[in-house]
Amino acid sequence: MKPHSPSSAERSDELSLNMAPAGAAVAGEVRGGGKAVNGGKRSRRKGRGRSAYLRRLSCFKPAADPPAAGGGGDRNLDKGDDGERERRIPTHLVVTVNGIIGSAANWRFAAKQFVKKYPDDVVVHCSECNYSTLTFDGIDVMGERLAEEVISAIARRPELQKISFVGHSLGGLIARYAIGILYGKDVPRNPPEENGGCKTYASGTQCMEEKLKGKIAGLEPMNFITFATPHLGSRLHKQIPILRGSYALEKMAYHISWIIRRTGKHLFLKDHDDGKPPLLLRMVSDCGDLKFMSALQSFKRRVAYSNACYDFIVGWKTSSIRHQDELPKRESFTKSGKYPHVVYVEKPQTAIVQQEDFSEMMISQPKSTSEMEEAMIKGLTRIPWERVDISFQKSIQKIFAHCTIQVTANASNTSILYQ
């Protein structure tokens, strides 16, 4: 029987099914050649009966009529004016990570834009393991959850070759922790013979170590992108703009950070587990088996998107990994006809901080909050970052800049994955 040739609208829905995260058989889950396992209506009814944060496991609606799977399940065929043509199976996994009290649904719009622009290249996996109050459990716990979820997503997609991470707000810190776990880690997908493995056990270990060097969960790291992420935490002066730089309010915020439990300790640099330095300090260096900086350095591009104004949650300095005097002046802002909200782009610099300017002593023995800030900036800028500053000053949504940057700036700049 000749397989059904889907229309362009059906193909768009089929591509959205590629976004289903790992897990049990739910509406929109893709297996083999992209066949939907369950119908969408039942799952949607079930989802409505739960909390807004507990929506079904995919952040995309499945096709009303699931496209038929044709043939062996490893390729799809499009039929156009020139007859049938083979459509490539996407090999680039893009993992999106939500922020505090968020969910996978926060990425619905932006992720659709990624797939629409690169239907033959990108599979978007909207992380679902950290949502609602689970985002209070601490950056380390959430990073471990994310790492396990990514491993599960990769394990069922042997065709994947590349990986990128896109995190919003706290999601950027969660992703930074997760890649420290995933760096150099093998994810079994195919038998060794199919995956270029070694023939003998003795040479196999050495071969595997060499093969995984510089890889994230066995995949080639491409882009690590954060949007309004508090890379330097929230404790330092003017890191929470809504407090208006008031030392009294900042001190109060520090003392009531227990409201968001372990995550609050991490963001305000209050954690000293087993006498160790705060987690965010440790994350600017490789720490035992957690290769935080080696993992970051392995990505071809690192981009920090920041709100220059009207972000009341995360300050410009902490999200762009800069000192206060390094922030661009307003008179240096430029206008972009294509991306009107982008006001400043700082290209990555190859040698911002020399290795001799940074030492482990800066992490292990900081004496003040300013020294912790200096250690984090120097540690993170040992590798080049591209910085993109955003302003929604002329937008009616400017007071929601912290959330707007995730939707507007991200979706309108889908080319960030292929620059």
Side-chain angles (χ1 to χ4, degrees), residues 52-366:
Y53 298 108
L54 295 172
R55 295 175 183 172
R56 57 174 173 21
L57 299 182
S58 171
C59 51
F60 295 93
K61 295 181 180 179
D65 298 310
D74 59 352
R75 63 183 60 184
N76 295 313
L77 295 176
D78 288 343
K79 189 168 184 179
D81 296 336
D82 299 329
E84 288 188 345
R85 70 175 180 85
E86 184 176 314
R87 177 159 58 80
R88 296 194 311 271
I89 297 176
T91 59
H92 186 170
L93 175 65
V94 178
V95 181
T96 64
V97 191
N98 59 270
I100 199 163
I101 322 182
S103 70
N106 300 147
W107 282 105
R108 178 184 294 125
F109 179 73
K112 281 183 178 180
Q113 306 309 307
F114 282 139
V115 177
K116 185 183 295 185
K117 191 170 182 70
Y118 306 107
D120 295 338
D121 301 306
V122 170
V123 174
V124 178
H125 177 88
C126 298
S127 172
E128 60 176 12
C129 61
N130 297 302
Y131 59 89
S132 188
T133 55
L134 289 180
T135 58
F136 298 167
D137 291 346
I139 294 167
D140 50 356
V141 173
M142 292 185 286
E144 291 169 0
R145 288 191 198 125
L146 176 61
E148 292 175 3
E149 184 180 11
V150 170
I151 289 171
S152 178
I154 293 173
R156 72 169 202 270
R157 286 184 171 276
E159 71 276 11
L160 293 176
Q161 299 173 8
K162 303 175 181 178
I163 188 167
S164 293
F165 284 81
V166 184
H168 173 246
S169 194
L170 181 64
L173 294 176
I174 298 170
R176 277 177 51 197
Y177 194 97
I179 63 173
I181 298 174
L182 297 172
Y183 181 76
K185 189 178 183 67
D186 182 31
V187 177
R189 292 186 288 167
N190 288 329
E193 291 76 17
E194 295 180 30
N195 207 20
C198 302
K199 298 294 183 181
T200 66
Y201 177 81
S203 62
T205 302
Q206 182 178 358
C207 175
M208 184 59 69
E209 289 178 355
E210 185 66 25
K211 181 180 177 182
L212 295 174
K213 187 176 181 180
K215 299 290 184 68
I216 300 293
L219 304 182
E220 181 183 2
M222 301 301 292
N223 305 279
F224 190 89
I225 302 165
T226 62
F227 286 84
T229 289
H231 289 285
L232 310 179
S234 304
R235 176 174 176 174
L236 306 169
H237 186 47
K238 295 184 177 180
Q239 301 293 54
I240 306 178
I242 198 171
L243 303 181
R244 308 294 294 175
S246 166
Y247 285 101
L249 292 177
E250 289 174 352
K251 186 176 182 179
M252 182 185 70
Y254 174 83
H255 288 298
I256 66 172
S257 59
W258 56 266
I259 292 175
I260 51 176
R261 304 201 295 259
R262 186 173 174 81
T263 297
K265 284 187 175 183
H266 289 156
L267 289 175
F268 283 85
L269 311 177
K270 296 169 66 174
D271 58 304
H272 296 280
D273 300 338
D274 301 322
K276 297 177 182 177
L279 178 62
L280 292 189
L281 267 180
R282 285 180 275 143
M283 285 173 59
V284 302
S285 181
D286 288 348
C287 186
D289 294 334
L290 298 171
K291 307 299 183 182
F292 297 122
M293 289 305 294
S294 294
L296 261 182
Q297 189 171 17
S298 69
F299 285 86
K300 286 183 168 53
R301 294 178 65 236
R302 290 156 298 277
V303 189
Y305 279 75
S306 310
N307 279 311
C309 56
Y310 289 100
D311 189 328
F312 301 116
I313 309 299
V314 177
W316 189 9
K317 182 172 63 172
T318 185
S319 58
S320 63
I321 320 175
R322 294 180 175 118
H323 295 95
Q324 185 68 35
D325 58 5
E326 294 175 333
L327 296 174
K329 305 301 180 185
R330 304 285 172 172
E331 52 268 23
S332 63
F333 285 0
T334 58
K335 292 183 179 180
S336 171
K338 190 174 182 181
Y339 306 124
H341 301 300
V342 175
V343 295
Y344 194 88
V345 177
E346 181 180 315
K347 294 299 181 182
Q349 302 177 29
T350 55
I352 301 176
V353 175
Q354 299 296 327
Q355 289 292 335
E356 55 267 23
D357 294 335
F358 179 83
S359 69
E360 297 299 323
M361 293 289 289
M362 299 178 69
I363 297 175
S364 60
Q365 298 179 358

